Amino acid sequence: MVVHACVIAPVTAPLGELISAQRHALQLPNVPPQPHLTLLPPVVFHHGDESALIEQVRTVARAHHRIELQVAGVATFAPTTPVVYFPVTGDLKAIQALHRDLTSPYCPGDFRYPYIPHVTLTWLPTATAARRVADTPQLAQFRGQCTLSHLVVVVGQLPDRWETIAEIALPAPQRSGLRSVSSA
């Protein structure tokens, strides 16, 4: 059976809770169940190859480290797509490198859209509706940060039937100047 696979990094508390509260306060439809940063957008995946996918993500995770994520303000991809999102700032080089390493084995070419690190707030039926939400003053002032500490591999069928098949920790960054001392 053909399904889709995706790799996300959950937006942890308290930022994840603040984003969920904004979604609830604005009574937004079509919200992802958990605030997250997508690192490997949905790709076609053959059910039964889960172990290979998980091992690939583990290998990539070992080559990277936890990342400080910040969001500031609000934007929309309208008119291209009616998605409203929080733009990601912070260590964009690390985020883009992680994205590149996760996508390269599966997508040697380009995706349909360029990779723009973001946390989706909602997707709406029209560009006009998306612009209306993006113009909400309280969202323009929204700020927050968290540490991306792990990756989650999900599989499913688009648009919203996803199942977690693995959670993989990102290692803590190495502290310079510290050496490991072993007892003899």
Side-chain angles (χ1 to χ4, degrees):
M1 171 179 14
V2 175
V3 294
H4 287 85
C6 192
V7 178
I8 64 170
V11 174
T12 56
L15 179 56
E17 293 168 353
L18 292 171
I19 291 171
S20 293
Q22 287 292 326
R23 291 170 170 168
H24 181 73
L26 294 170
Q27 301 177 342
L28 296 174
N30 305 321
V31 297
Q34 174 183 15
H36 64 273
L37 173 68
T38 300
L39 291 158
L40 173 64
V43 294
V44 173
F45 174 75
H46 297 283
H47 188 63
D49 293 340
E50 289 91 345
S51 60
L53 173 64
I54 292 167
E55 189 52 40
Q56 168 63 27
V57 175
R58 280 192 179 115
T59 299
V60 169
R62 283 192 294 269
H64 292 269
H65 58 82
R66 295 177 186 170
I67 301 170
E68 293 303 315
L69 173 127
Q70 298 167 352
V71 297
V74 66
T76 180
F77 290 126
T80 305
T81 61
V83 171
V84 180
Y85 65 93
F86 293 117
V88 168
T89 61
D91 194 349
L92 288 176
K93 285 185 180 181
I95 291 168
Q96 289 172 337
L98 184 55
H99 164 75
R100 180 196 63 236
D101 291 350
L102 286 166
T103 58
S104 62
Y106 300 101
C107 305
D110 293 329
F111 282 104
R112 184 174 176 188
Y113 303 109
Y115 183 64
I116 298 173
H118 68 280
V119 178
T120 298
L121 186 60
T122 187
W123 58 93
L124 296 158
T126 67
T128 301
R131 285 189 195 100
R132 194 174 315 120
V133 170
D135 288 340
T136 304
Q138 70 192 59
L139 294 178
Q141 302 302 316
F142 191 86
R143 305 276 186 276
Q145 64 184 40
C146 73
T147 300
L148 300 178
S149 60
H150 65 285
L151 305 177
V152 177
V153 182
V154 295
V155 296
Q157 297 184 4
L158 296 175
D160 59 0
R161 293 183 167 227
W162 296 101
E163 175 188 349
T164 297
I165 62 169
E167 293 190 25
I168 300 162
L170 288 167
Q174 295 289 337
R175 294 184 184 188
S176 61
L178 297 179
R179 287 187 279 158
S180 175
V181 178
S182 61
S183 58

